[in-house]
Amino acid sequence: MAESFGSDPERYDRTRPRYPDAMVERIVAAAPGPDVLDVGIGTGIAARQFQAAGCRVLGVEADARMAEFARRGGLEVEVAHFEAWDPAGRAFDAVVAGQTWHWIEPVAGAVKAAEALRPGGRLTVFWNVFQPSPEVAEAFAAVHRRVMPDSPRNPWAMPALDDAYSVILTKVAGGIRQADAFGDPEQWRVDWERSYTRDEWLDQLRTGGDAGQYPPGMFEELLTGIGAAIDAVGGGFTMRYAAVAVSAARADAA
């Protein structure tokens, strides 16, 4: 699933949400310098934001299709799985990962990040997490129940921060501690929101990692139902997001 996102990098880059400026600014301010290593750079969504904040960015990306898209946008990218990537003596002020660290083995990833960081450098991994209103969550959950009545997982039935992402954040922090190379990890959060039209939301759903995992026809039925639910509330809605991060400084900081 981790390598399914590159099937349509143009759609991915067009539809996936950016990250709040406040989160980017906090990461940049906490780093001792401007050299950033972006793990799982994808199409370069976060990397371009760090460039705009004055950083020099090198990306590591497992999917060659995503890497090529990012390169066409002027980013430097090396194709590799991060755990096996060779820093080749290079050092960075920040190692970041937007929406990708859950694909990295948590201890091996933290060890590799420490290897790539300068003294005082900081590892910060972050995600945008959906925080829908109760009305939108119930409308989307109802579609999932109707289309997939036997599915054990309904992504809208429980707040994501209380479900999948609480597990992810705990696992990431545990991996950083086990690496024994960082100070105690911190959790950061920035709340923000974005308005979507019906078509914009459905376009983004097609970029999800599980989009290709449904039986034939089921995903289209799901999209049709969600589109109808959005039409029922006026053809658009505002999605609230929580940008959440786990961040830790290398333990040998000066």
Side-chain angles (χ1 to χ4, degrees):
M1 190 185 296
E3 296 181 2
S4 67
F5 301 105
S7 61
D8 191 346
E10 290 82 4
R11 186 197 299 270
Y12 188 98
D13 193 75
R14 181 178 71 249
T15 65
R16 281 296 181 109
R18 278 45 184 166
Y19 300 94
D21 290 340
M23 180 65 79
V24 173
E25 290 165 2
R26 184 169 184 177
I27 294 169
V28 172
D35 293 322
V36 172
L37 179 68
D38 188 346
V39 178
I41 192 173
T43 60
I45 290 172
R48 294 193 296 269
Q49 292 186 253
F50 282 103
Q51 281 187 329
C55 296
R56 295 185 292 267
V57 182
L58 172 66
V60 178
E61 173 57 48
D63 191 314
R65 299 164 298 180
M66 301 282 265
E68 180 55 32
F69 186 97
R71 288 178 183 134
R72 291 200 303 268
L75 291 159
E76 183 180 354
V77 186
E78 298 178 5
V79 177
H81 290 277
F82 181 59
E83 298 92 329
W85 173 75
D86 183 6
R90 293 166 294 182
F92 301 85
D93 300 298
V95 173
V96 303
Q99 221 75 20
T100 60
W101 199 259
H102 53 287
W103 302 115
I104 304 294
E105 201 290 317
V107 179
V111 169
K112 181 67 70 172
E115 182 184 346
L117 283 167
R118 293 189 174 101
R122 182 172 283 269
L123 169 64
T124 306
V125 301
F126 50 96
W127 293 265
N128 277 319
V129 184
F130 297 133
Q131 299 280 281
S133 69
E135 296 76 16
V136 167
E138 175 50 35
F140 290 177
V143 174
H144 278 258
R145 288 193 296 268
R146 185 178 71 251
V147 176
M148 298 182 293
D150 299 323
S151 174
R153 177 179 177 270
N154 187 328
W156 304 105
M158 180 179 291
L161 275 179
D162 297 335
D163 187 14
Y165 279 91
S166 65
V167 174
I168 289 172
L169 295 173
T170 298
K171 187 175 183 179
V172 168
I176 290 172
R177 292 187 181 98
Q178 289 180 55
D180 198 28
F182 293 90
D184 200 44
E186 306 169 7
Q187 288 194 19
W188 302 344
R189 173 172 173 166
V190 176
D191 294 300
W192 66 286
E193 61 185 36
R194 174 183 166 178
S195 296
Y196 287 91
T197 66
R198 174 188 187 275
D199 290 345
E200 286 172 340
W201 184 254
L202 297 183
D203 207 20
Q204 179 184 238
L205 288 184
R206 292 184 183 276
T207 71
D210 56 354
Q213 308 300 312
Y214 295 100
M218 182 175 286
F219 186 59
E220 291 304 320
E221 186 178 356
L222 194 64
L223 291 180
T224 297
I226 290 176
I230 297 172
D231 286 341
V233 295
F237 69 101
T238 297
M239 176 60 76
R240 294 173 299 177
Y241 287 92
V244 294
V246 177
S247 183
R250 225 181 79 170
D252 54 356

